[in-house]
Each structure stands twice: as C-alpha cells, then as structure tokens.
Amino acid sequence: METYEKTIMVTGGAGFIGSHVVRFMVNKYPKYRIINVDKLTYAGNLENLRDVEDKLNYKFVKADIVEDEEMQKLFDVYKFDGVIHLAAESHVDRSIASPTEFIMTNFVGTANLLNAAKFHWQDDYKGKLFYHVSTDEVYGSLGETGLFTENTPYDPRSPYSASKAGSDHLVRAYYHTFGLPVKISNCSNNYGGYQFPEKLIPLFIHNIKNKKKLPVYGKGLNVRDWLYVEDHASAIDIIFHKGKVGETYNIGGNNEWKNIDLIRLLCKIMDRKLGRELGESEKLISYVKDRAGHDLRYAIDSSKLKNELGWSPSLVFEEGLEKTVDWYLNNPEWLENVTSGDYLKYYEEQYLNR
Ligand code: NAD
Ligand code: DAU
C-alpha cells in the first residue's frame, strides 16, 4: 500500500477555484494524498477534474460540510494532516436572493470543520494546519483610492461577504482560544477556466458567443481587482507551506478594472476570435438595474505576500483574458452542460425583470 507524507482534505474541490487547487496539489505533490470533499451543489462539477480523477493520490468524497457528524467521521477515517477549506456558497447575487444557505454553508459549515479538526488534532497540533480560503469582500467597499491591507477593518455588506467574514472570525477565534494552527488568505476576483457562468467573465463570454444581451449592473463603473485562478492556486500553495501560523495574507492581481472597460476589452477579444466585425459584440451591452448594496471598488495590497513569501502574479491581465476566452471557446460541451437545466431557470429569475 502506498504511504503518503500528508493527507489533505480540500473542501469545495469540485468548484471553480477548488478544482484548480486540487489539480495543482495532486500534480505537484505525488506524495500527498488529496481528499476532495464536496457536496456537488449546482456549482460543483466533477467534469472540472476529469484529468486528475484517476491519479492514485486523489480521492473524491461527496459530503456536506453542514453535516457535523459526517465531518467528524471523515476525520476519523482519513486522519487528515491538513485542511484547505474552499467550500462555500460564493455568488453575491444568490446571497441576496436567499441568504440562509450562505449562513449555513459558509458559517455553520466552517464551524463544523473547525470542531472536527480541533477534536482530532488537539492532543498534538504538530504538523497540522487548517487553511481557510476567504475573500477581499470581507473588507467592504473602497472609495476612489486606497487598498485593502491585512489590517483593514472588516465591513462586509452583502449576505455572502457577511457569512465569509463570520467564518474568518471563527477561524481566528479557534486559533486564539484553542491554539488550533490556522492560516487565512483573502483574495480578489478570480477568473479562468471552469468558472460557473453566473459570474461576470464566463457569463459574458457565453452571452457574447450566443449573441445575448450583456447585463451591466448600474453604470458599469464598479471596480474589481482580477487575478488569474492558477495564480491563486500557486499563492495558496506557498501560504500553505511557507506562511506563518495564525497569520492572514491578502492575495490580489494588482490589476484594477472598471467593469465597463473590462467588458469592452472582452467584446474586442471575442469579435476577433469569432471573426466578427470589430464593435459588433459591444452592441450587446445593456445597462440594467444595479445589484443591491453593490460594492463600488475592491483593490488588494498583496505586498505582505510578495515581500515575505516571494509570490507575485505570473500573467498580465490581457494575456490571462485571452487564455480564458480560448478555454471557453475550446470547451463548448462544458459550457453547454452547465448552462442547460436549472441554469436557465436561475437566469430568467435573475435577469428577466432587471
Ligand atoms: P464555487 O461556487 O465555484 O465552488 C464552491 C464549491 O463548494 C462547489 O464545488 C460546491 O459544490 C461546494 N460546496 C458548496 N456548499 C457545500 C457544502 N455545504 N458542503 C460541501 N461542499 C459545498 O466557488 P469558488 O468561486 O471556486 O470559490 C471557492 C472559495 O474561494 C470560496 O470560499 C470563496 O469564498 C473563495 N473566493 C472566491 C473568489 C472568486 O473570485 N471566485 C475570490 C476570493 C475568494
Ligand atoms: O472579490 C472576490 C469575490 O469576487 C469573491 O469572493 C466572490 O465569490 C466572487 O463571486 C466575486 O464577487 P463579485 O460580486 O465581484 O463577482 P461577479 O462576477 O458576480 O461580479 C463582478 C462585477 O461585475 C461586479 O461589480 C458585479 C458586475 N456584474 C456581475 C454580473 C454577474 C454585472 O455588471 N453584471 C452581471 O451580470
């Protein structure tokens, strides 16, 4: 029987970022056993992991982190040395439509995992680590200037960000109160392949391809700091292995874009790739009712991560966006599969009366 140096539970590994993290860890660390624990909600998709599913050091377990006893059982069975916790309800618009699921998965689910880790590890914390993956949205909304640092006070403004902020506080509380070895990272907006097309970039690629309207919230002046998802995975790897226990690290792309500027760039790239006349896709832009409580601007200062651990993004945005467009155009079945069925109902409810 194969012996492994470490057994790591990755929660939410069938989702967008989780699948990139699983792929990265399974390939880079053949001596680690990676156990992907995922409930497979609408956002979880095992198609995202086809290329690693047969690897000996990878295993998928379908489970809900809200089920306390199940989490305890998994710790019993697999004797995890580490947790990389990504499972979450992650879409802000859905959190406005139904907040409770966000509180259950993001807050209660995180508490269950912390309890299971504490219970199984408390006799000897040596070599153990609970790594919590969080978001820059916990810091609230910036004005025209300034950056989020690790010391920016929390000011979450959507049910999604409030539930993530709550989970961050719980993780820190278990560190201070029980000595549980934890690390947290707060990352800006990710983009890349395998992202569910409810989020801006894959949704707009899908709509442009199908000549559907591009629903821009408000005036399109909100600003986000975009990071290529594989760079997020590499940052998680570095923090997991080299970050200090008890610390928080901000991860960002140093890459701010006003939504409308990003959308125009995306339209240009798509026109070129689809052989359409330049300017054709921009005609699909349609300004719609703004998102409730829409945060104006996010921007991350990731100098701590750069200076202490030597991480920086590997791609410039234009290059990453081209790669991302190519990925969706080269994987039409993936896009078709996730945009049929329940997706159509979601889309109608979300956008019909905007
Ligand atoms: P996602 O919605 O694509 O994937 C979430 C995954 O979690 C899915 O596979 C889903 O099935 C699983 N899941 C949901 N509820 C579960 C439950 N109760 N039990 C077990 N599994 C469950 O999300 P994502 O965009 O990949 O985000 C992953 C993590 O990274 C989240 O914690 C999110 O807050 C954080 N994050 C995301 C971004 C971003 O831009 N997407 C940026 C910063 C941080
Ligand atoms: O900052 C990190 C966060 O980034 C993550 O924690 C979240 O999980 C992730 O979903 C993302 O949140 P945003 O709300 O910023 O991402 P979204 O793709 O939903 O929206 C990006 C911007 O585009 C935002 O200003 C809203 C706008 N938008 C979005 C959609 C879906 C539109 O104008 N139209 C749309 O149809």
Side-chain angles (χ1 to χ4, degrees), residues 15-17 38-39 41 44 64-65 86 90 105 134 160 164 190:
F16 166 49
I17 301 170
D38 196 299
K39 180 183 171 184
T41 66
D64 183 345
I65 61 168
L86 296 110
S90 70
T105 288
S134 193
Y160 164 66
K164 289 295 290 187
N190 284 215

Side-chain angles (χ1 to χ4, degrees), residues 150-177:
E150 288 80 1
N151 297 319
T152 302
Y154 274 32
D155 183 22
R157 295 149 49 97
S158 74
Y160 164 66
S161 52
S163 65
K164 289 295 290 187
S167 67
D168 293 10
H169 288 317
L170 275 180
V171 173
R172 285 194 192 98
Y174 275 62
Y175 169 68
H176 290 295
T177 307

Side-chain angles (χ1 to χ4, degrees), residues 91-93 95-96 135-144 148 153-165 187 189 217-226 256-259 290-299 354:
H91 191 39
V92 174
D93 291 322
S95 84
I96 296 166
T135 169
D136 61 356
E137 300 200 10
V138 298
Y139 298 122
S141 181
L142 290 164
E144 301 287 324
F148 296 134
Y154 274 32
D155 183 22
R157 295 149 49 97
S158 74
Y160 164 66
S161 52
S163 65
K164 289 295 290 187
C187 188
N189 286 61
Y217 296 166
K219 295 188 171 129
L221 299 179
N222 304 67
V223 175
R224 296 291 182 267
D225 174 355
W226 293 92
E256 288 182 52
W257 284 79
K258 265 191 194 116
N259 289 343
D290 208 352
R291 173 185 277 174
H294 196 174
D295 289 336
L296 176 69
R297 177 171 163 260
Y298 306 143
R354 269 203 123 99

